[in-house]
Amino acid sequence: RDAMNEVFDRLLLVPKPFLAAIGCRDEQRLDEPGAIDPVVNSLWVDIGAGTTDLCLLQGCYPGADEQIGLPIGGDFLDERLMQGLRASHPDIRISPLKIRELKEQLAFAGSSESPAIAELFVGGRLQKVDVTEAMSEACHDLLTGITEALIRLLARADSESSPELLRNIFLTGGGSAIQNIAKELERMLSLQGIEGAHVRKLEAAGKDCVAKGALKASRQAREKQWQILLK
């Protein structure tokens, strides 16, 4: 609010996963057979740089108990990857910028069909380094936290709605670009006894959904819902 004080007269603070859900909602097609309403009985996971935000949506604006914010995201994955590479190659020289580049190019969840190889400076010489294990462990640590949070949210939902909720888990944010992340999240939920999960990735369209959702929210908000900023 303080940051916006000099720019706007009023604002709304809305969870990003909720904006993505209403932005993806196509009201004109909801009556079609098999249509999915992303705002009703769905779970949203937004994997950002510094945090991962999870949101349970059951037809209305989510309350505090229907949201979980985790202090893990892309930066957390970078840190874990750096630790893994330094553990296996103590004399490696690698910058945070290079770590981020490796993540964006090679990050995968679960097992990889082929080794993840990168050219890095080790002992002062440029060498081809197998980063498969370090990348796998870093992504696994990220998904472990997300899996635990999803299970907590499921426990807060009505038991009768759980089967439908499990079929409507949506991933958005930059972290959703990790290769095989949807299938691996389904597998990890299954290992915890949560069967029947179906995870969907919004990928690049996710940013558009958030922007559309913000526009919808601003148009639908009642006057008393806006927070007035004092100059």
Side-chain angles (χ1 to χ4, degrees), residues 112-117 130 132:
S112 176
E113 295 181 358
S114 58
I117 306 297
D130 188 337
T132 308

Side-chain angles (χ1 to χ4, degrees), residues 18-61:
F18 180 70
L19 293 180
I22 62 175
C24 291
R25 191 174 193 251
D26 189 346
E27 289 83 359
Q28 297 180 349
R29 302 184 63 181
L30 291 179
D31 293 332
E32 296 180 4
I36 296 174
D37 188 344
V39 180
V40 179
N41 283 337
S42 60
L43 285 162
W44 287 75
V45 182
D46 181 83
I47 308 173
T51 64
T52 293
D53 300 307
L54 299 93
C55 189
L56 169 64
L57 294 179
Q58 296 193 292
C60 58
Y61 189 87

